Amino acid sequence: MKKAVLSFCLLMMPLIILAQISNPVHFKTELKTINDEMAEILFSAVIDNGWHVYSTDLGQDGPIEATFTAVKLDGAELVGKLQPRGKLTEQFDQMFGMKLRYFEGKGTFVQKIRFTKPNYAIEGYLEYGACNDEMCLPPTQVEFKANGKSPATITHAEKTENGAQGNTESAKEEERIEQELPEDSLTQDSLVETNMPTSSTTGLWTPITSELKAFSDHTDAESSAWWMIFLQGLLGGFLAILTPCVWPIIPMTVSFFLKRNKKRSKAVSEAIIYGISIVVIYLLLGLLVTLIFGASALNAISTNAVFNILIALLLVVFAASFFGAFELTLPSTWTNKIDQKSENTTGLLSIFLMAFTLTLVSFSCTGPIIGFLLVAVSTQGSIIAPTIGMLGFAIALAIPFTLFALFPSLLKSAPKSGGWMNTIKVVLGFIELAFALKFLSVADLAYGWHLLDREVFVSLWIVLFALLGIYLLGWLKFPHDDESRRTNVPQFFLGMLSLAFAVYMLPGLWGAPLKAISAFAPPMNTQDFRTAEGHLFNKTVYSGTVEAKYRDYEQGMAAALAEGKPVMIDFTGFGCVNCRKMEAAVWTDPQVQDILNNRYVLISLYVDDKTPLPEPIEVEEANGQTRTLRTVGDKWSYLQRVKVGANTQPCYVLLDPRTGKPLNALRSYDEDKDAYIKYLNTGLENYK
């Protein structure tokens, strides 16, 4: 009966949708002779952009490290351990609390061997782990086989022959990599029966990729992220308009166009060209930033400690400028030269140079906002993110010039320049100081200084927003504020909200989760002072955790069937960084905890579980090569590929235990708690 089940599962393999299988690392193997006694086994990797492959000797509590395992050594012996060769990136990881080393772009692992007999036969495999910022691969193996005569015993002709044979094998390997065939294309009777599903769980191993695809809402996450970047830029542009460097220039510029042209239509067209010129200038600025730094360097700002320290200091300088300590201005010669050229030229070039003059003159106000915007979009790692951000900023900045040119009468009702613009600058200064602490916190966690543990960070934010509220209420003044400045009604309400926000953060000093700032504050494990068991004044301030009751697929599905509950499969790994991020950011939410603990049966399957299987499982691929599943983690990784057509973690699948069919689409790394709750509730509704 088990054979029938195996046959059914194996025959369903070709139905897997290959688009879900990620293959970001491409290996080429080679046996390179050093001398008559020594040789090197080379595993050379080409790594897709955004991914990294972890190095060797990272420690038991870290992610999946690279190792070499010899299955057969006849006529040869290993010399030392597997060694990395190439440029390694070393970085402290706050989730694991240790320094990690990994390859990006390309890298090589080398295992030295010594020949002990005239003839040799070597079989083994490299096992490695790879991750990007959103997902991780399960432990992946690269097989290596070689046999022949040792260099000391072969003639020159034999060397040539063996070299040709080696090149043929290398070509075959490259062809295999290019084809990127799924590892689950198997032949019948290639699996050991004792490790596969029984007759009572036949449907549990049936591929469900087509059903999962039907659930997909075809949303484009990347497009959504770009829209958010555009909106951030738009907001920054509108704030820049209200500063004293930009607002007074608007009526002057519009009046200039209206006065120098007798025909109003000509004045309007020139004002529109002026607005378009502003957009072009800031778009070019966004492109320039991308060309200079590149997407990978911008993305490094979010993870590299030195970059975070520099950004924090830069934001402090911007904040001091907004507080009135000094003004950030470009050299006056730049402004004068551009202004003179605009006067000496005519036509479109003259208008463009006028827009460029505005850019230079307003830098003291727009510079800090642009700098903050570029820092905010740097975490996206997209090569067009800075350009999209600058597009939003420029459109917002260009709108009033065009709008007031079309409707000059609006200028009469527009607010006059005054002290309210300085107030906006000071508010922006407080916000930039708050974000400076966020970037400094990343560096503090990376180096393990413990200067900005959670309660220190929260204390500083409480002080900052309390001072902001006090300033808005008129009890605090800065050098560029008028002595007679009075609090108006909008400032009163904003001040009240700022003080209320400061009060809201107070319980965080005793360990309250503070969901509103959870994305900015250091993790809870850095909190030195917490009330016992998460209670404050006899009330619970933070809740427990989510724990999977089952780590075996068949057992968990049987239990869910008996309890009449749907199942959530959590394909995870002990060394999966992004899995821990999801658990810390999303699974700590009380509503998520309640749903997962009480309304689902949660099954966590660790794809890097090294517990040996009772017997190895030999898997023959479509290209004739074999792969051996040796551990429990190999089995769950295989299940993930077979069942859902995916191989990255974290991966969440909602299933009906009665049929083994999905209740919603696949879900991976996404820290949007509301979307996660909606995802779980949709699964519950479909189960009913």
Side-chain angles (χ1 to χ4, degrees), residues 571-617:
F571 288 104
T572 183
F574 295 113
C576 175
V577 178
N578 299 301
C579 302
R580 303 294 86 78
K581 289 180 181 179
M582 282 293 292
E583 292 160 10
V586 179
W587 284 17
T588 52
D589 182 86
Q591 193 171 351
V592 173
Q593 290 176 8
D594 176 67
I595 296 174
L596 291 180
N597 286 332
N598 302 318
R599 305 185 68 183
Y600 277 94
V601 171
L602 176 61
I603 307 173
S604 289
L605 303 180
Y606 288 80
V607 298
D608 53 0
D609 188 339
K610 297 300 183 182
T611 304
L613 290 170
E615 293 183 45
I617 304 174

Side-chain angles (χ1 to χ4, degrees), residues 155 193 215 227 271 300 439 447 477 533 576 589 602 612 616 685:
T155 64
E193 297 178 8
F215 273 111
W227 271 109
F439 289 102
Y447 285 115
K477 288 184 173 63
E533 299 180 358
C576 175
D589 182 86
L602 176 61
E685 293 172 3

Side-chain angles (χ1 to χ4, degrees), residues 48 173 201 282 351 436 452 459 472 480 518 553 610 664 668:
D48 288 355
E173 178 66 14
T201 59
Y282 282 103
I351 298 173
L452 271 180
S459 298
L472 289 170
H480 56 4
S518 60
Y553 177 56
K610 297 300 183 182
N664 206 341
S668 56

Side-chain angles (χ1 to χ4, degrees), residues 303-605:
T303 55
N304 185 276
V306 176
F307 269 114
N308 277 277
I309 293 173
L310 294 176
I311 292 301
L313 293 176
L314 186 64
L315 291 179
V316 170
V317 171
F318 288 161
S321 173
F322 277 153
F323 289 154
F326 50 82
E327 280 198 4
L328 295 172
T329 57
L330 296 173
S332 58
T333 53
W334 293 12
T335 307
N336 294 335
K337 287 182 179 179
I338 298 298
D339 193 33
Q340 289 175 6
K341 284 188 175 293
S342 66
E343 291 178 356
N344 296 331
T345 55
T346 57
L348 295 179
L349 180 59
S350 172
I351 298 173
F352 181 83
L353 291 174
M354 286 179 62
F356 197 42
T357 303
L358 167 71
T359 304
L360 299 178
V361 171
S362 62
F363 179 79
S364 60
C365 293
T366 60
I369 298 175
I370 292 171
F372 179 74
L373 174 64
L374 291 175
V375 169
V377 304
S378 66
T379 56
Q380 301 293 326
S382 170
I383 196 168
I384 66 170
T387 307
I388 293 175
M390 286 298 96
L391 176 63
F393 182 89
I395 289 176
L397 203 62
I399 283 175
F401 293 96
T402 307
L403 186 65
F404 286 128
L406 291 172
F407 308 101
S409 59
L410 291 178
L411 283 171
K412 297 179 182 179
S413 57
K416 303 299 180 183
S417 302
W420 61 272
M421 291 184 293
N422 285 329
T423 302
I424 291 175
K425 286 181 65 176
V426 172
V427 171
L428 291 175
F430 276 107
I431 293 174
E432 297 214 344
L433 268 186
F435 277 95
L437 288 173
K438 185 264 183 189
F439 289 102
L440 188 60
S441 171
V442 174
D444 179 69
L445 290 167
Y447 285 115
W449 295 331
H450 297 291
L451 299 175
L452 271 180
D453 287 342
R454 190 173 183 272
E455 65 269 30
V456 177
F457 181 94
V458 173
S459 298
L460 290 172
W461 266 43
I462 290 172
V463 171
L464 277 176
F465 283 94
L467 287 174
L468 175 58
I470 291 171
Y471 172 79
L472 289 170
L473 293 176
W475 301 337
L476 177 67
K477 288 184 173 63
F478 284 91
H480 56 4
D481 286 324
D482 296 333
E483 288 295 330
S484 59
R485 183 176 72 89
R486 301 175 64 182
T487 301
N488 55 37
V489 174
Q491 290 180 28
F492 171 78
F493 283 111
L494 288 175
M496 184 176 65
L497 288 174
S498 184
L499 289 172
F501 185 57
V503 173
Y504 159 81
M505 291 186 285
L506 284 173
L509 299 176
W510 290 272
L514 301 181
K515 297 179 187 177
I517 66 168
S518 60
F520 307 102
M524 188 72 75
N525 58 26
T526 66
Q527 182 102 14
D528 294 326
F529 180 55
R530 274 196 281 176
T531 54
E533 299 180 358
H535 292 279
L536 175 64
F537 308 131
N538 296 322
K539 299 185 85 174
T540 301
V541 293
Y542 61 90
S543 50
T545 59
V546 174
E547 293 185 7
K549 295 180 180 178
Y550 300 94
R551 290 191 179 182
D552 182 272
Y553 177 56
E554 288 87 358
Q555 289 180 5
M557 293 292 279
L561 187 62
E563 295 178 28
K565 294 180 180 179
V567 168
M568 187 175 92
I569 305 292
D570 167 34
F571 288 104
T572 183
F574 295 113
C576 175
V577 178
N578 299 301
C579 302
R580 303 294 86 78
K581 289 180 181 179
M582 282 293 292
E583 292 160 10
V586 179
W587 284 17
T588 52
D589 182 86
Q591 193 171 351
V592 173
Q593 290 176 8
D594 176 67
I595 296 174
L596 291 180
N597 286 332
N598 302 318
R599 305 185 68 183
Y600 277 94
V601 171
L602 176 61
I603 307 173
S604 289
L605 303 180

Side-chain angles (χ1 to χ4, degrees), residues 247-286:
W247 186 260
I249 298 176
I250 296 174
M252 294 169 53
T253 305
V254 173
S255 298
F256 171 79
F257 285 127
L258 293 175
K259 288 178 181 178
R260 85 169 190 170
N261 293 288
K262 295 181 179 180
K263 293 183 178 180
R264 184 172 177 275
S265 59
K266 175 102 170 153
V268 170
S269 64
E270 287 191 352
I272 292 174
I273 294 172
Y274 184 78
I276 294 173
S277 298
I278 293 174
V279 174
V280 171
I281 290 168
Y282 282 103
L283 270 178
L284 292 175
L285 176 62

Side-chain angles (χ1 to χ4, degrees), residues 145-202:
K145 292 183 181 181
N147 58 79
K149 294 183 178 181
S150 63
T153 60
I154 59 177
T155 64
H156 176 73
E158 288 173 326
K159 283 184 179 180
T160 306
E161 181 182 352
N162 285 347
Q165 181 180 356
N167 292 335
T168 303
E169 293 295 326
S170 177
K172 289 181 178 179
E173 178 66 14
E174 291 180 3
E175 183 179 356
R176 182 188 70 80
I177 291 173
E178 291 174 357
Q179 289 174 346
E180 298 183 7
L181 292 172
E183 296 175 346
D184 41 36
S185 300
L186 312 178
T187 59
Q188 192 169 340
D189 300 330
S190 63
L191 303 177
V192 177
E193 297 178 8
T194 56
N195 293 310
M196 301 311 297
T198 64
S199 57
S200 62
T201 59
T202 300

